[in-house]
Amino acid sequence: MQGTVNQRTDAGTQRGLRGWLGRQFGRTPMIGWLAGALVAVVLEQQVGDPLSELLGLPKIPVLFGFNVALKKPLLIPSALAFELLIYALPIWLVARVASPVMNRVSGILYRLPRWVSPAVHLAVLYAALHIWADLSAYRGITLRLMLIAVMLTLSLNLINGYMGEFSCSHPGFMALGAYTTSVFTVGLFMNDKLFGPALLPAAAGPWLFPAALLLGGAVAAVGALVVAIPSFRTRGDYLAIISLAFLFIVKSLIENLEFVGGPRGMSKQPNWATLPVVFLWTVACLWTINNFVRSTMGKALNAVRDDELAANAMTVNTRKTKMMGFLFAAFWAGVAGGLFAHVLRYVNPGTFGLQKLAEVLAMVYFGGLNSVYGSIVGAVSISLLGEALRALEILKWIIIPLLLILVMIFRPTGLIAFTEFNVRDVLRPKTGPDGEV
Amino acid sequence: MRKVAWTTLSFLLAVALACPAMAGKKTIKIGLNVPITGDIPKVGEGSKYAAEMWLEDIEKAGGLEVGGKKYPVEIVIEDNESKAESAVKVATKLITDDEVLVIVGPQSSKQAVPAGEVANNYETPMISPWSTNPDTTKDRPYVFRGCFLDPFQGPVLANFITDEFGFTKAAVLYDVASDYPKGLAEFFKEAWEAKHSKGSVVAFESFTTKDTDFSSQLTKIIKSGAQVLFTPQYYNEVALIVQQAHQLGWDKPIVGSDSWGSAETVELCGKDCYGAFFSTHYAAAGATGATKAFIDRYKAEYGYVPDDVGALTWDSLRLVETAIQSCGKITGRIEKDRKCVRDALARIKEFDGITGKMTFTEEGDPIKCAVIVRISDSGEYEFYKSVCP
């Protein structure tokens, strides 16, 4: 967080856009931004319909006006005006004008027990997301898949970024989690031709869903063990090759298992992966992975990456460290896979192929290696871009890879690489240049 | 203050620009959920072109006439990238954001199964022109399809081979990792063994997607003493399988399924495929009446003979048109109109499409005839025989 602190102190003296932005917003704490977003979405919920009608829009622009702009260029000014009035203006007002009040609130929260402040922030964030997604089911499904992408990216970053190995088996872990969870829920709670009638009452389902996800994660971790045991005796490209082989093994295995539908896939998953459920799991994933990488274990992981021999000499149990990191990442990929299956309510082995791998890798390298921040930024921006540019059809597949190439040229390790995500620091009030409360 | 000024300015500009764009007329929106990019872009292209042709007809007539009033029609085309999750997102977007009356697509089963779930949940009628997986329409009153199913096609081919050649021993070569070939191979085997005896499918060999060398499987098939080879594969694999079989000395008939129907099959396979048979939805060469008119027009506009996907999409759109018209009126309340269109679709009897007459069953699957096509000695798809259920 050193960078932000410097930026804040220099804000008064810097010139240009950056300096202006710093002067305008340098003093706004996180809660101010979240409150601004909440105000914006409430405003959209209340006056979105009449305003869009007034501006001549067919309805509220669903994804920040991208769809409208690309399909009907004549409506660009209206869409722009809508976004400015509903999002930019209220957020700016709350962030700028209400920042003293927000700093006071933030200061009070900061002094309460440590868990209160993050909990309040998350509650406000969830409220904003919930109201935003409530206006359109399309937003809902995009948001849920985006949160799952965040989980996947974070877990892959653990291996490719923090541990410095190149693993290709993530879709395989996802598939293991997705199928285990689906077999559990469909087998126990649904009337299905593969598994017969429901064994347990449907009312118990949502309560046992976490158990199903944990089981999915555990199976993925056991699968990871199969890759880890032979490959961690060596270094470098070997893991990439073994993990790629593992991905194909999992895919063929599922294709040949009749009881899960083979290549036809499995459907009829119950609709339990709702927005709050996915949100809570994403927060849990973020929290545990962030704590993991900031703990001594995470530091050991970094040491192994930088120089395994030296780390070994400094009493780091390198083998155990690598195993822990790898299995932990696979566990979260499995959980994400389970959620994915229940959001789509259908899984087939074809989904977990090389294309999925390329997608997750792109998110990791776009966002930034060795960085929780970067993973969030990468997953959110690639998913949103993919959705927003859908109307461009084939051009979309030129624009997104081009962006990736540009990022690789100008920031070879990704947009926000090698930064630490210090929750306490992010959430603290920003009253003065010295940061005193 | 600068920012405030800018906002006000753009706001005024927007309002000024937007006012003439307001329109109050009720339009009928139809969503198209097709793979424009991804693994099978040709399929998406064919569907898109068929839809454009259909829309052209409607626009020429001044709109779709429902109950004596003409309504403008809008087709919302969305790309589902040939991915299951994108098909779900696109279906949700078309239903809740674009508020379409009916969805046509997705084409492949891996997308139609999850997208059908979405359409059924939101009570929006959906027709998949090309999906052959029974799960697509099963227990989903709002989901229909435009083609026959694999459990029908398998027996059709088994009967055809038996009646035509009088063979008793067959071999099957299929892709175990792809749902369509695998399903059809199994249905064929079941039908064949029921007709002859257990073990009359003397070789049941498989491979995995993207394999290019089939010599070991083909050698086994040749040694097994089979009289005919059935391979329900896609065009790129068909070419390799047929050529390799001939190189290894196979000189008996080869039979395929509707996945052979692409124009690419003959282009890639060449002379090796001449004389082969396959079952499909319609035969382009020697077509008559409306089917011929469609093919000629498509060829004139886009430069190639349409695949079965294009023809099936055309039929699906015509089914939708018929259903909307027989609905009687458009109230503008989308839930009510969707329900009305669904009921009208389910009631359709003896619809005269370019891929044959169809009547929907309770499940939303059509009862329609299959066509057996022979690849002629000049590489054209000739009508050989029609097989009805």
Side-chain angles (χ1 to χ4, degrees), chain A residues 55 137 258 356 359 390 396, chain B residues 18 79 81 83 85 182:
Chain A
L55 288 170
E258 263 327 301
K356 189 101 229 155
E359 243 177 67
R390 186 183 293 287
K396 173 175 129 182
Chain B
D79 172 25
E81 302 161 29
K83 287 197 301 198
E85 69 245 53
K182 182 165 186 270

Side-chain angles (χ1 to χ4, degrees), chain A residues 181-360:
Chain A
T181 321
S182 299
V183 167
F184 187 89
T185 55
V186 176
L188 288 182
F189 300 102
M190 304 300 273
N191 296 317
D192 186 82
K193 63 174 187 297
L194 296 170
F195 304 105
L199 296 173
L200 292 171
W207 303 104
L208 276 173
F209 188 46
L213 288 172
L214 288 176
L215 189 70
V219 169
V222 171
L225 209 59
V226 176
V227 185
I229 290 171
S231 61
F232 283 163
R233 290 177 191 280
T234 57
R235 279 220 64 134
D237 307 334
Y238 300 101
L239 182 72
I241 295 165
I242 294 179
S243 58
L244 196 61
F246 177 78
L247 168 61
F248 287 118
I249 292 171
V250 170
K251 201 164 155 266
S252 329
L253 179 76
I254 298 171
E255 273 158 0
N256 286 290
L257 280 180
E258 263 327 301
F259 79 100
V260 292
R264 284 224 142 140
M266 234 179 127
S267 52
K268 293 217 164 32
Q269 281 87 344
N271 189 16
W272 292 335
T274 50
L275 186 59
V277 171
V278 178
F279 183 80
L280 282 178
W281 279 98
T282 312
V283 169
C285 171
L286 194 89
W287 183 55
T288 51
I289 289 189
N290 194 38
N291 278 350
F292 182 83
V293 299
R294 296 181 68 210
S295 69
T296 46
M297 262 179 332
K299 301 297 167 206
L301 215 55
N302 278 352
V304 171
R305 174 193 65 200
D306 293 337
D307 192 332
E308 191 167 348
L309 221 57
N312 206 2
M314 300 300 284
T315 72
V316 173
N317 186 345
T318 55
R319 203 173 150 71
K320 189 180 147 211
T321 308
K322 287 203 285 185
M323 284 280 199
M324 291 275 267
F326 198 67
L327 263 59
F328 191 56
F331 170 81
W332 280 113
V335 172
L339 286 168
F340 181 79
H342 285 77
V343 168
L344 289 190
R345 305 179 64 191
Y346 171 76
V347 272
N348 70 332
T351 306
F352 306 105
L354 286 177
Q355 201 183 3
K356 189 101 229 155
L357 174 67
E359 243 177 67
V360 189

